[in-house]
């Protein structure tokens, strides 16, 4: 399929029966479409749904976040296929520290045509959309968004959560109705070590403490060295050292907010949060938390997980075990998920994310000379053909169409089968889940259940059995809130100041650099001075307006 600019009618019909093609049009139908009123909307761009996207080779500048499973975005197999299909050449700028790179590029004015995979928050989208840096996409979607409009119709929440309070869309999402991602704050523990020590998976914070002590003191890896790291995290989402543990002290959502008597509050200024910090400080003082946990990135965490001399990781907060181990290896198979721990006062909860959507996955800036081209590229990424290749790899190399008797993870007829363990992108075949794709729950669970490649099956069952029972009551969850431009601007400024301060202070309290009891009042006062009450009031006003 490589090296072709257009699809012949026969090829389109043949492949669509086996490769789930979406929106495939031929040269003949393209010519016919171009005759339709309003079809030729840009002299460089072919009509909506027609490939290639551009009539001549066109370059767009894209800034992307780094992904450890992608060796090189420029030489990537999916990138090459995408360029051949669309006639669009991508000039890459890959950010190793996405948030810092985003902030610096926006502040300096040296930003790209497109931000890809930065997962820009609704507040930031509204803020920079209002300033004209991010362009509104509504009219472009109406004209060119064949796949996007299908998605908005089939999954209405994707449009709702992509728009600001006035309905403007400044960024397109990545949709991943991943069941195990609804409980992404998990803890993974080395079951082989537990078996060696004759211990069970802990159920309480006290049992967790005892297990970590045994990991540190009793040489579970058997190499007669004190090289075990009992509890290790990283400075990435779902791997912060405090996130999983705090759910045993105070129940809150992924934004660390919760509802109490109809009032929105934050967890990080509550007495229960303070007790959680004391517990973590105890673990740290006894050498049970690895100091690198507060600063290392995913690559550094994975290096620890793949330590060549011996297995050294005991317990790790992560969405899945391939965050700290290679999928191609075998070590990750020795880890099991630990259900939410019960804390000293009986709190036991799992953070729950109801919608499988990540906002701001594809954002077009005012630097784009032809935003129509960029929008059409994003739109094509939602097609099933592009999603299969972007996420899984090449047909009949990393995956294949499932057989008629193959059964999916959900027990229904399967749609596709993973071939070996190469679909993670480690061989540069995919984009490693960077950027837009459309993965419905049906699609995700349509993977053939394979004992030789059991990751998805493991994640589905561990989530269903160990975390789903602890999801919050929907009535107690804060719904998605919509802010005005002015509110978005104010929330963005306040939240960044508070978040930076909180992360630094929490880390210092855990490692003992700040005395928790002596500095707690000062910490609360500083949060007030950073306008936390105003931040809460804005959220409360938005919540109250939804209840009317």
């Amino acid at each position: 399929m490589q090296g072709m600019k257009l699809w012949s009618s026969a090829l389109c019909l043949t492949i669509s029966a086996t490769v789930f093609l979406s929106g495939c049009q031929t040269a003949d139908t393209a010519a016919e479409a171009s005759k339709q009123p309003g079809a030729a909307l840009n002299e460089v761009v072919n009509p909506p749904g027609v490939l290639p996207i551009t009539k001549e080779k066109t370059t767009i500048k894209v800034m992307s976040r780094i992904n450890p499973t992608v060796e090189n975005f420029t030489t990537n197999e999916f990138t090459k296929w995408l360029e051949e299909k669309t006639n669009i050449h991508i000039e890459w700028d890959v950010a190793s520290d996405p948030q810092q790179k985003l902030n610096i590029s926006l502040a300096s004015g040296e930003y790209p045509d497109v931000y890809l995979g930065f997962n820009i928050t609704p507040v930031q989208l509204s803020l920079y959309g209002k300033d004209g840096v991010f362009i509104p996409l509504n009219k472009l979607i109406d004209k060119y968004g064949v796949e996007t409009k299908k998605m908005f119709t089939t999954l209405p929440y994707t449009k709702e959560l992509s728009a600001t309070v006035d309905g403007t869309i400044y960024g397109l999402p990545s949709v991943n109705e991943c069941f195990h991602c609804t409980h992404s704050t998990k803890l993974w523990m080395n079951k082989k070590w537990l078996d060696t020590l004759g211990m069970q998976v802990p159920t309480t914070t006290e049992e967790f403490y005892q297990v970590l002590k045994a990991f540190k003191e009793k040489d579970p890896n058997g190499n007669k060295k004190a090289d075990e790291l009992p509890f290790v995290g990283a400075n990435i989402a779902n791997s912060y050292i405090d996130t999983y543990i705090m759910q045993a002290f105070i129940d809150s959502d992924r934004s660390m907010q919760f509802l109490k008597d109809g009032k929105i509050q934050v967890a990080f200024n509550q007495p229960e949060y303070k007790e959680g910090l004391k517990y973590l400080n105890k673990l740290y003082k006894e050498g049970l938390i690895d100091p690198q946990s507060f600063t290392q990135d995913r690559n550094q965490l994975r290096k620890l997980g793949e330590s060549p001399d011996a297995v050294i990781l005991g317990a790790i907060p992560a969405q899945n075990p391939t965050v700290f181990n290679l999928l191609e290896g075998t070590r990750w198979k020795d880890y099991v998920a630990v259900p939410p721990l019960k804390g000293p006062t009986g709190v036991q909860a799992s953070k729950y994310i109801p919608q499988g959507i990540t906002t701001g996955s594809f954002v077009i800036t005012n630097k784009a000379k032809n935003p129509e081209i960029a929008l059409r590229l994003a739109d094509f990424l939602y097609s099933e053909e592009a999603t299969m290749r972007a996420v899984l790899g090449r047909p009949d190399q990393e995956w294949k169409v499932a057989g008629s008797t193959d059964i999916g993870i959900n027990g229904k007829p399967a749609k596709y089968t993973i071939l070996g363990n190469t679909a993670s992108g480690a061989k540069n075949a995919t984009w490693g889940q960077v950027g837009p794709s459309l993965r419905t729950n049906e699609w995700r669970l349509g993977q053939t259940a394979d004992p030789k490649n059991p990751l998805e099956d493991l994640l589905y069952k561990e989530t269903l059995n160990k975390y789903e029972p602890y999801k919050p009551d929907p009535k107690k969850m804060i719904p998605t809130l919509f802010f005005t431009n002015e509110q978005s601007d104010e929330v963005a400024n306040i939240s960044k100041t508070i978040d930076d301060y909180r992360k630094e202070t929490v880390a210092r309290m855990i490692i003992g650099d700040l005395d928790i009891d002596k500095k707690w009042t000062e910490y609360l006062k500083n949060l007030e001075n950073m306008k936390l009450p105003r931040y809460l009031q804005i959220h409360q006003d938005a919540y109250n307006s939804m209840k009317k």
Side-chain angles (χ1 to χ4, degrees), residues 373-397:
I373 294 173
L375 191 282
R376 278 216 56 195
L377 178 64
D379 185 70
F380 179 60
L381 292 173
Y382 289 128
S383 71
E384 194 164 45
E385 179 188 16
T387 290
M388 297 293 285
R389 283 182 172 265
V391 177
L392 301 180
R394 297 159 293 183
D396 297 321
Q397 293 188 62

Side-chain angles (χ1 to χ4, degrees), residues 69-136:
T69 64
V70 179
E71 293 174 1
N72 187 309
F73 277 99
T74 300
T75 62
N76 185 269
E77 291 294 333
F78 177 66
T79 300
K80 291 190 289 185
W81 175 85
L82 190 65
E83 183 169 325
E84 291 165 359
K85 288 283 288 185
T86 64
N87 222 9
I88 297 170
H89 172 68
I90 297 176
E91 185 177 306
W92 293 95
D93 182 0
V94 181
S96 57
D97 187 335
Q99 191 57 52
Q100 182 183 53
K101 184 80 170 182
L102 175 67
N103 294 338
I104 291 175
S105 62
L106 288 171
S108 66
E110 297 296 323
Y111 48 83
D113 300 331
V114 169
Y115 284 106
L116 179 77
F118 276 77
N119 306 336
I120 300 173
T121 67
V123 170
Q124 289 174 305
L125 290 173
S126 180
L127 176 63
Y128 288 100
K130 180 188 68 174
D131 289 343
V133 176
F134 301 159
I135 68 170

